[in-house]
Structure formats: structure tokens, C-alpha cells
Amino acid sequence: MRLTPEQVQKVAELARLQLSLDERERYAEQLSAVLGYFNMLNSLDTVNVSPTSHALMLKNVLREDQVRPSLSQQQVMSLAPELSGELVAIPRTFEG
Amino acid sequence: MYETAIGMEVHLELCTRSKVFCGCSTNYGGAPNSQACPVCLGLPGSLPVLNKRAVEFAIKASLALNCEVAPETKFDRKNYFYPDLVKGYQISQYDKPIGRNGYIEFEVEGVTRRVGIRRVHLEEDTGKSFHDVAAERTYLDFNRSGVPLIEIVTEPDIRSSAEAKSYLEALREIMEYIEVSDCRIEEGSMRCEANISIRPTGSSDYGILNEIKNIGSLRGVQRALEYEIKRQTELVSSGGIVLRQTRRWNESELKTEVMRTKEEAHDYRYFPEPDLVQLVIDNSWLNKCRSEIPELPRARRERYVRELGITPYDAEELVADRALAQYFEGVARLGTEPKLAANWLLSDLRRELNQASLAIEQVKLREAGFSELMVLVSSGAIGSKTAKDILGELVHSGVSPAAYVKEKGLAQLSDTSEIEKFVEQAIADSPKIVADYRVGKERALTALVGVVMKLSRGKAKPELVNDLLTQKLNKGRL
């Protein structure tokens, strides 16, 4: 299967990446090669293998519902590029 | 003619102590950005660990809605960009929700309605954003980021705005009963969205869906849907076409309006969350959750009416407050006649609670004490007026009603000779009222009973007072 530069552009938009025309062409080629590996996997007979979502054998890793200390407000705020009082400030986004 | 098909999507914040994937507190009212950590801020290198209680709450909610619970399930990443979603994805459940294929039953105008529950899944809440148009800024508080939510999606089985409201009330009642969420719409712990379409009556295909968001109250749900039914019907009747839109309810202008959508195609690119492992819900875990679900409100109301002889109205009132219903059951179990207990709880005790701003759990007069008070009343040991008068004191002090009555000498007088003295005195002291009575003013008798009650400090048994007064007054006449 070959990816088109248009498909690459759509994925790039969803990921908020800006790609030049040249990059779209280049990544279309590289990502097509990646998809090629999946085609190799497709050639295997998996009739007797049940689908899995995880490679690990672990299951039910759970924690008890106990409160543990958070970061301090100061620590959280120090991570933000801009503040307004006790809130993090960013350029306005439209609601919805 | 057109008919309406409505499906509801409800998000409920679960009342766990800590968030769903980290140990930050879920408390309301903390200082902004004081309940966040590397996990719920999506900092690199942090890993989520699933909160067991959040899973159990989702299982219980699924069971209470008659869902099949998935024996094996997992979490998925839902990818989208919005500043209140710090990681760039929300951990949710896509193709394997914890619950599916359930239903809920409730009454609308005396008729039982059943609405299908398509799915119940567990996910995380986002932070909260505030938009400042003038300053061109959006402000963020991440305290809610990572609080556990369940999303409950119905089939498009709801046919009117009134039904939608009844559905939400029934859902809220059940969720409060099983104590998984406090379901406060105004505070945001219960959020409602509706999908609505109209179709010609009798048609089996659904019309074009519109999604209504931003509904902040039960009344808002009803009004928004009424508005939308009217809008779509008028549009179609005049030859127009309903477009597929996401609309917002504007509470101040009482209308729905098209929302500005950021992303046309909702391509969330779901994939299994690699930072969490599989979740297996075996029968023993399922049964443990099932055993923790109390009798649900609808079943309880029916039992009160059928087995305890309570009126449907009183059953409704009692069951609406789970703690009050439990108190009532305790009192009834101790042998108090259920109807008598229900009357006293719903009128007198509730009035005392309201006056003192107390919850039933805080009342010192517990089930045994209340039951004792009922015995004093029904045996005639004290008058019901006396019982009402001392109830406030009992609620606060927690002393035994029998001991209190004895100590204060409040036992009802049913000794005829003693009451006779008060009756004679009342007649002697009130010549004007007696004269009124003699010229046929029947109401004068009530006034005389009042005088006797006052003289006896409320202890004389009113029925006896009434009899004795009538005897004495009529004897004079003969």
C-alpha cells in the first residue's frame, strides 16, 4: 500500500504539524515503507491467534483509592509560560 | 406528523477520593492548580496507574443499569488538541466499554418507559478553561484533570422532552443510591448532551442527528429539546432540510445555536493505551460489586406500597432521600406501624431537621428512640401534641423518649377524675365561652377544650376532655 502526499497532509493536520510540499512527498515514501512491514505481518497465518491489545502478559495493575500529595501550586505554575493569578494563561481558544 | 428520537449522553464525575490514574485529590474547592501532578499534567516519563475504586464504581453503575459487564476490557487513547487536555489525548474506552446493552425503566405520567443503555465507559475528566474575550486569553485550572468520569449513552429511545427529563431524574436517583456520583448538574459533576432527530411518524429510519451541548440544568434539558423539536419540525414542514450540526443551548436567549467547530471530521485516531494493561473483570469481582448494590429506588418504592401499606406519595418522598429511607426501615423493623412512622418522619421529623439544618444522619434520636416515641404515642401514654413538642429536644439530646417523658412529667392524663377537676375549673373560669356554647355556638366547645388543655399543661387526653366537657355542659342544660 502506498500513502499519498494528501494522506500524509491529513494526518499532519490532525497532529498539528506543518509540512512543506517537499516533506509531504518524502514522508509519504518513508511511511509507505513502514506500512510495508505490516504487509509482511499480514502474510502470516493468524487464524488461531486471538486479537490482543497489549504485548505484556500483565493484567489488572491497580492502585487503591488513596490520596497522595500533589505538586505544590507553585511547582505547577512554574511549568507554565504565562500566568494570570492562580491560573495558567494561554492565547484564547474558541469554546466548543 | 413527526415523531422525535432522542438519545442522551451523560457524563458523571465519580466520587472517588483520588483521581483515576494518579493520587491527586478530587476535592472541590481547592485553590486552582493545587491538585495536579506529573501524571495528570501529562509530563514526560509519568505513568498512569488505574484506581480500583473507579473501576468498581463503573461496574456498579453498569450493573444498576442492567448492562452486560465486559469480562475483559482495556483503555484507549482518544487524540485531540484542546488546551484543557494536557496530554493531547484523553484516556477513555472505545470498543470495549465496561458496560453495554442495558436498560433503565422509569415512569412518565403514570406509564412505565424503558430506555436502552447502549454503553457505560470509564474515562478521565479534563481541566477547566475560562475564556476572556477582552483580554484574548484562555485561563486554565488543572484540578479536575484526571478525575474519573463515566459516560452513559442511551439508545435513541426517548420520545419527548418530558421523557428526557424523567430519564435524567431516574438516572440521577439510581447513581446517588449506589453512591458512585453526587450528580450535581449545576456544579458540573453531571453533564448532559442530547442527540435529537425527527422523522415522519411510523418511519423506521432515523432523521439527521443534531447534537445539543452546554445544557446546565434539568429545566435547560427540557427547554433545549422543546426548542429543537420545534425548530426541526418547522424546518422540515416548510420543505427545508435538517443539517447535521453540533448546537449549543443558549440559556439566556432560550435557543440553540450552531457551535463553531474546530475540527470538521472528528478523527480521534483511537488506539489501545499502551501505558495501561488489560483489565479482566472475573465473576468473583463482579459478584462482590453486585453484592454492594442496595435495593434500587424503584423496587423500594414498590415494596413500601405493596408490603408496608405506605401511600405511593409517601413512598416517593421517603425513597427520594436514601438516608431517610434507611432510617424509616430501621424504625419499621423495630415493630412500629409503618404508616404511623412514615407520617411522623415526613412531617414532624423532617420539619425539625429543616429548622435545625440537620441531615438525618446527624440526628441523635436514632431508630430505636424514634420507635420508642411512636410506642408512647400509639399507646396513648403521651398525646401527639406532647410528642410534637418534645421532638425538637429529643432530636438534639438523644435521651430516651420514655425517660424524658417520665422526668418531665409529661405522661398523658387519662384519669377521668383528675381531668374532671380541670373541666370544672375551665367552666367556672370562662362564663362567656360557656354562654356562647349555650346559645348554640359549637365552636365555643373547641375553645373550652383549649382552656382545659392549658390548665392541664397539655397532658389531658383531648378525647376525654371533649367527652367530659360535653357531658357537663349538657347536664346543666337538662
Side-chain angles (χ1 to χ4, degrees):
Chain A
M1 181 181 149
R2 266 207 67 81
L3 278 178
T4 64
E6 289 72 32
Q7 286 171 313
V8 171
Q9 176 55 19
K10 183 176 183 243
V11 175
E13 275 169 18
L14 288 169
R16 300 291 190 277
L17 294 172
Q18 274 187 355
L19 300 183
S20 66
L21 284 173
D22 182 48
E23 284 171 319
R24 284 178 221 172
E25 295 282 352
R26 193 148 33 102
Y27 293 142
E29 198 152 318
Q30 291 179 3
L31 290 170
S32 296
V34 173
L35 285 181
Y37 290 119
F38 288 92
N39 279 335
M40 274 169 70
L41 291 174
N42 274 343
S43 67
L44 292 172
D45 179 7
T46 55
V47 170
N48 296 315
V49 182
S50 54
T52 180
S53 54
H54 294 78
L56 294 171
M57 287 293 128
L58 284 171
K59 58 172 195 180
N60 293 18
V61 177
L62 299 161
R63 41 174 278 273
E64 293 301 320
D65 182 24
Q66 275 157 7
V67 174
R68 288 171 51 173
S70 300
L71 294 176
S72 70
Q73 189 193 43
Q74 226 175 2
Q75 283 173 308
V76 173
M77 304 298 276
S78 71
L79 299 168
E82 188 188 330
L83 303 173
S84 172
E86 298 176 299
L87 299 166
V88 172
I90 55 164
R92 183 168 76 96
T93 56
F94 288 110
E95 185 150 36
Chain B
M1 281 299 284
Y2 296 93
E3 69 174 7
T4 309
I6 300 167
M8 303 288 301
E9 283 177 25
V10 172
H11 283 89
L12 297 177
E13 272 191 356
L14 300 179
C15 49
T16 53
R17 293 184 198 108
S18 65
K19 292 185 177 181
V20 60
F21 300 121
C22 63
C24 290
S25 167
T26 57
N27 275 351
Y28 265 102
N33 294 307
S34 65
Q35 292 162 210
C37 76
V39 174
C40 56
L41 287 173
L43 301 188
S46 62
L47 281 174
V49 186
L50 184 57
N51 182 334
K52 189 176 170 192
R53 197 193 308 262
V55 175
E56 291 177 346
F57 281 3
I59 295 173
K60 283 189 198 178
S62 300
L63 290 172
L65 296 172
N66 307 294
C67 287
E68 298 157 16
V69 174
E72 277 176 36
T73 177
K74 66 177 167 79
F75 290 85
D76 299 278
R77 286 191 183 180
K78 179 181 181 179
N79 299 279
Y80 66 94
F81 290 98
Y82 202 65
D84 58 18
L85 184 75
V86 259
K87 294 196 294 292
Y89 58 86
Q90 179 190 33
I91 303 180
S92 180
Q93 295 191 293
Y94 182 51
D95 56 340
K96 288 187 172 181
I98 287 183
R100 59 175 15 147
N101 294 335
Y103 64 86
I104 180 172
E105 286 184 327
F106 52 91
E107 271 75 40
V108 184
E109 285 158 12
V111 180
T112 300
R113 290 282 299 129
R114 179 187 279 215
V115 168
I117 301 292
R118 183 177 290 172
R119 57 187 284 149
V120 176
H121 76 246
L122 181 59
E123 62 185 24
E124 59 179 335
D125 203 353
T126 63
K128 198 165 167 35
S129 47
F130 311 87
H131 304 280
D132 186 338
V133 179
E136 282 290 313
R137 279 288 177 270
T138 291
Y139 305 122
L140 301 162
D141 170 7
F142 293 110
N143 285 357
R144 305 319 290 166
S145 174
V147 169
L149 293 178
I150 49 173
E151 180 176 326
I152 300 164
V153 183
T154 73
E155 297 294 342
D157 293 345
I158 298 168
R159 292 284 168 269
S160 69
S161 59
E163 267 183 40
K165 183 165 172 275
S166 301
Y167 161 71
L168 292 172
E169 284 167 345
L171 181 69
R172 182 163 69 178
E173 191 178 59
I174 292 172
M175 294 301 143
E176 284 176 349
Y177 244 69
I178 63 174
E179 297 181 312
V180 301
S181 173
D182 55 17
C183 298
R184 296 200 181 120
I185 297 188
E186 282 74 12
E187 282 177 22
S189 62
M190 179 175 187
R191 299 165 213 157
C192 313
E193 290 166 27
N195 289 308
I196 173 167
S197 64
I198 60 164
R199 60 181 175 189
T201 304
S203 163
S204 58
D205 295 331
Y206 291 109
I208 301 293
L209 268 187
N210 271 241
E211 198 179 336
I212 319 292
K213 291 179 180 277
N214 193 44
I215 315 178
S217 66
L218 274 186
R219 216 155 82 108
V221 170
Q222 206 169 357
R223 283 174 162 178
L225 289 172
E226 270 157 26
Y227 177 89
E228 197 55 25
I229 292 167
K230 188 159 170 278
R231 185 187 73 85
Q232 291 188 20
T233 308
E234 282 174 3
L235 192 59
V236 173
S237 305
S238 61
I241 297 168
V242 176
L243 299 174
R244 187 172 181 129
Q245 289 170 330
T246 300
R247 301 175 71 90
R248 146 212 318 276
W249 173 240
N250 184 327
E251 186 82 55
S252 52
E253 292 180 38
L254 300 179
K255 62 176 195 181
T256 64
E257 52 202 21
V258 181
M259 274 174 90
R260 205 187 273 256
T261 49
K262 302 161 288 160
E263 211 165 295
E264 272 315 309
H266 279 299
D267 188 345
Y268 292 124
R269 293 155 297 145
Y270 282 98
F271 64 86
E273 169 58 70
D275 288 345
L276 291 166
V277 297
Q278 268 202 304
L279 183 63
V280 174
I281 302 166
D282 61 17
N283 276 334
S284 71
W285 198 10
L286 194 60
N287 289 336
K288 178 187 166 278
C289 291
R290 187 175 279 129
S291 72
E292 288 169 9
I293 295 178
E295 181 182 38
L296 294 178
R298 202 160 174 268
R300 181 167 280 186
R301 274 193 293 271
E302 283 171 9
R303 181 168 59 86
Y304 283 5
V305 173
R306 199 180 55 239
E307 291 176 20
L308 301 180
I310 304 293
T311 64
Y313 180 83
D314 282 358
E316 184 89 39
E317 292 282 300
L318 282 169
V319 172
D321 179 345
R322 188 181 166 197
L324 187 67
Q326 264 159 347
Y327 190 95
F328 163 73
E329 298 214 359
V331 174
R333 217 174 292 128
L334 289 164
T336 306
E337 212 276 299
K339 269 181 104 160
L340 178 73
N343 284 340
W344 276 81
L345 286 174
L346 291 173
S347 55
D348 305 286
L349 185 65
R350 201 147 67 166
R351 187 175 50 242
E352 292 297 336
L353 295 181
N354 289 342
Q355 273 169 10
S357 300
L358 281 177
I360 185 89
E361 298 92 322
Q362 299 165 295
V363 167
K364 293 235 176 74
L365 180 72
R366 298 316 305 168
E367 290 86 335
F370 195 84
S371 187
E372 191 177 301
L373 182 68
M374 292 298 97
V375 171
L376 292 173
V377 172
S378 56
S379 68
I382 58 172
S384 56
K385 169 112 191 0
T386 306
K388 281 179 217 258
D389 289 345
I390 65 174
L391 189 59
E393 176 61 29
L394 295 172
V395 159
H396 290 288
S397 69
V399 297
S400 138
Y404 186 80
V405 164
K406 197 167 173 204
E407 187 202 320
K408 301 274 175 187
L410 296 170
Q412 183 162 260
L413 271 183
S414 42
D415 179 336
T416 314
S417 61
E418 288 220 35
I419 297 177
E420 239 167 10
K421 284 183 211 151
F422 292 122
V423 167
E424 276 160 13
Q425 194 185 338
I427 291 173
D429 289 355
S430 325
K432 191 173 175 313
I433 308 179
V434 173
D436 283 348
Y437 179 81
R438 295 211 195 280
V439 296
K441 288 187 185 165
E442 288 293 325
R443 233 179 283 162
L445 184 65
T446 315
L448 279 171
V449 172
V451 175
V452 177
M453 293 309 288
K454 210 169 177 181
L455 288 169
S456 74
R457 293 192 296 132
K459 291 191 288 183
K461 194 175 182 182
E463 296 79 16
L464 276 179
V465 174
N466 211 55
D467 290 350
L468 288 171
L469 268 172
T470 320
Q471 271 177 33
K472 294 260 176 221
L473 291 167
N474 290 346
K475 202 196 243 168
R477 211 183 256 178
L478 283 171

